[in-house]
Amino acid sequence: MMNCAMNFGVVVGVYYIVKFSLFPLSLHSTMAALLFLGLTLVVPVLVYRLVKRYRNQYCGGQIDFFRAFSFTMLTMGCGSLLAAVAHYAYFAFIDGGAMVGALVQSIEQLKGVDLTVLENASAESIVQFNQYIEFMQHTVDQIRAMSPIDITIGMLSNNVSWSVVLSLPIALVASLRRPEKNYNS
């Protein structure tokens, strides 16, 4: 199981890296952001198909929940580790502060918005908007203080956490499916 999980984890890792390559573009382009989001939503489908392939080719068409959960976690974990290498390379050698710069630019644009000219803007909504801008500024300050390895570990932790969350329903569906006739496809 470990060998298959690592091999399939390479597929997931490459997918994560391709998806992450849209991240810098998504800071400046709505279309890239939508594509990034769409590719993110496809991750459970991709992993389910890999678990299904493992079930059909290596488990005789049936798999119990624990084995499917373990395989899913190992596959996504290996993919996350591979993606972490690309994340580190990007933030250490390529980004050069571009992500923080794009966030600062967005905050500056938000600061330039005059909500008092809107008819439906209440005093409370203006206060909430200003609090949101302060929150975003605080977030940017925290990101600025992080090293590339800090950002990478945070992203790896996030990927592993989502792996646990997504592994549960994927394993459940994979273990409940009836065996298919052709186990070699």
Side-chain angles (χ1 to χ4, degrees):
M1 176 168 68
M2 181 64 92
N3 191 27
C4 287
M6 288 190 303
N7 289 335
F8 289 168
V10 169
V11 172
V12 172
V14 169
Y15 183 83
Y16 284 166
I17 292 168
V18 169
K19 181 176 72 87
F20 179 72
S21 68
L22 291 170
F23 175 72
L25 299 173
S26 70
L27 297 173
H28 303 287
S29 166
T30 304
M31 186 63 168
L34 289 174
L35 187 57
F36 179 81
L37 177 63
L39 291 175
T40 300
L41 295 174
V42 171
V43 168
V45 175
L46 170 68
V47 174
Y48 171 73
R49 291 186 58 93
L50 294 173
V51 173
K52 181 179 162 184
R53 185 173 183 185
Y54 172 73
R55 177 192 70 195
N56 292 339
Q57 286 185 349
Y58 300 98
C59 299
Q62 291 185 313
I63 192 168
D64 61 72
F65 174 80
F66 181 74
R67 187 171 183 153
F69 179 75
S70 299
F71 181 79
T72 305
M73 281 295 304
L74 286 169
T75 300
M76 293 179 79
C78 289
S80 296
L81 285 172
L82 183 61
V85 173
H87 294 159
Y88 179 76
Y90 173 76
F91 288 111
F93 305 112
I94 300 169
D95 182 62
M99 181 180 70
V100 172
L103 292 173
V104 167
Q105 183 181 10
S106 297
I107 292 170
E108 292 304 318
Q109 288 176 347
L110 288 174
K111 286 180 179 177
V113 173
D114 184 15
L115 295 179
T116 58
V117 298
L118 298 176
E119 294 176 16
N120 296 336
S122 66
E124 182 181 333
S125 64
I126 293 172
V127 168
Q128 288 175 346
F129 184 74
N130 289 332
Q131 288 174 342
Y132 174 73
I133 291 173
E134 288 175 26
F135 171 76
M136 290 299 295
Q137 186 64 53
H138 179 69
T139 302
V140 167
D141 293 340
Q142 287 180 330
I143 293 171
R144 251 191 208 129
M146 296 174 77
S147 69
I149 195 70
D150 293 333
I151 296 171
T152 302
I153 289 173
M155 293 178 80
L156 177 62
S157 174
N158 186 38
N159 281 345
V160 170
S161 298
W162 277 109
S163 296
V164 173
V165 171
L166 292 175
S167 292
L168 293 169
I170 291 170
L172 182 64
V173 171
S175 65
L176 293 178
R177 296 286 184 188
R178 293 189 176 168
E180 295 180 5
K181 301 292 184 206
N182 184 3
Y183 298 116
N184 295 322
S185 61

